[in-house]
Amino acid sequence: MSLTLYYLPLRARAEPIRMILSYGNVDYKNIIISLSDWAALNDKLEISPFGQLPSIKLTNGTVIAQTAAIVRYVAKLAGLYPSNPEECAEADMLLELAQDMNVINPLLNYYPVVSEDFKRKYAEYFSKLPTLLKAMEKILGGKKFFGGESPYYADFSIFNILYNTIELEPKSLDDAPTMIAWMESMKSLPTLKKYLAERPNAPDVGIPGSYIVTKK
């Protein structure tokens, strides 16, 4: 029995989970639940203990929810979870940073671009971004990945956030050359490169009216 990952037709919280599973060549079933089906299923505890997605069914049948918990779990399966307590703390810090920056996902996939929510959250996100990029560059230093010569699991969470940031604003990293170089290092990972090439096209992974749909 393989893992089963449940999520909506969005390129958002489940993406780093899929990237990590792909990196570690961990077998899993990727179940996409349509928004209309989810309205009828979100109180089904066997799929989602807290009425939220993503969730993942383990090989023993246990269902785990909450994105960060799932990310940490699959990181251990993929060999990406540090054994050193200090490295664990740094990786966890970066994961929490990615969680804090998660508003980029609904900006890209969910909010209608003509809505006031989109305009307000867009302004808030991009006003804070330069400071956060400088902090990331300081932490990364001269390393190839945040984990050194190989990535932490949190590299994938930050990568998804910044990939979506560039999707929305292509020049948003222009003043952060260290992060641009890091993005290229991530894209050069064979399994991630393959995953990015094979995942669903953008118009298939967003809400009608959202940026990712309307820009195509």
Side-chain angles (χ1 to χ4, degrees):
M1 181 179 178
S2 62
L3 301 170
T4 302
L5 178 66
Y6 299 95
Y7 199 51
L8 305 169
L10 301 172
R11 207 179 269 176
R13 290 183 180 271
E15 281 300 281
I17 298 168
R18 297 187 188 110
M19 291 174 184
I20 291 168
L21 289 168
S22 297
Y23 178 87
N25 292 309
V26 179
D27 184 46
Y28 74 104
K29 296 177 182 177
N30 186 40
I31 304 298
I32 303 298
I33 301 173
S34 71
L35 294 173
S36 57
D37 287 344
W38 176 237
L41 290 173
N42 63 6
D43 62 345
K44 301 295 184 183
L45 298 183
E46 63 267 25
I47 295 176
S48 175
F50 309 123
Q52 300 172 321
L53 294 177
S55 65
I56 192 167
K57 182 179 286 187
L58 310 186
T59 56
N60 67 358
T62 301
V63 176
I64 301 296
Q66 299 296 336
T67 304
I70 299 171
V71 167
R72 290 184 177 98
Y73 172 75
V74 298
K76 292 168 185 175
L77 298 181
L80 285 171
Y81 202 85
S83 57
N84 177 288
E86 289 74 22
E87 290 180 354
C88 284
E90 184 170 75
D92 286 348
M93 173 183 71
L94 293 165
L95 173 62
E96 296 302 328
L97 173 61
Q99 295 291 92
D100 288 346
M101 297 175 72
N102 186 65
V103 71
I104 192 61
N105 290 326
L107 280 171
L108 189 69
N109 296 285
Y110 189 81
Y111 296 122
V113 294
V114 297
S115 70
E116 289 303 316
D117 278 341
F118 178 89
K119 296 173 185 177
R120 175 172 53 83
K121 292 181 183 293
Y122 175 100
E124 290 174 356
Y125 180 83
F126 284 99
S127 68
K128 297 175 182 177
L129 183 63
T131 299
L132 295 176
L133 289 173
K134 287 180 182 177
M136 287 184 228
E137 288 193 308
K138 184 176 180 181
I139 295 167
L140 185 62
K143 295 179 291 186
K144 185 175 182 180
F145 301 103
F146 284 107
E149 286 303 306
S150 58
Y152 286 145
Y153 71 89
D155 281 71
F156 293 89
S157 293
I158 294 291
F159 176 81
N160 181 60
I161 292 294
L162 295 186
Y163 189 101
N164 286 347
T165 299
I166 294 170
E167 280 279 311
L168 194 55
E169 278 296 342
K171 295 183 180 298
S172 56
L173 267 64
D174 282 3
D175 293 330
T178 300
M179 297 312 299
I180 292 174
W182 170 82
M183 290 286 289
E184 293 305 311
S185 295
M186 290 293 292
K187 290 178 184 178
S188 70
L189 293 169
T191 52
L192 182 55
K193 185 176 181 179
K194 183 176 185 291
Y195 175 79
L196 293 174
E198 295 178 353
R199 67 181 178 174
N201 291 326
D204 301 322
V205 287
I207 302 300
S210 65
Y211 180 86
I212 202 169
V213 173
T214 58
K215 76 164 191 168
K216 295 298 181 180

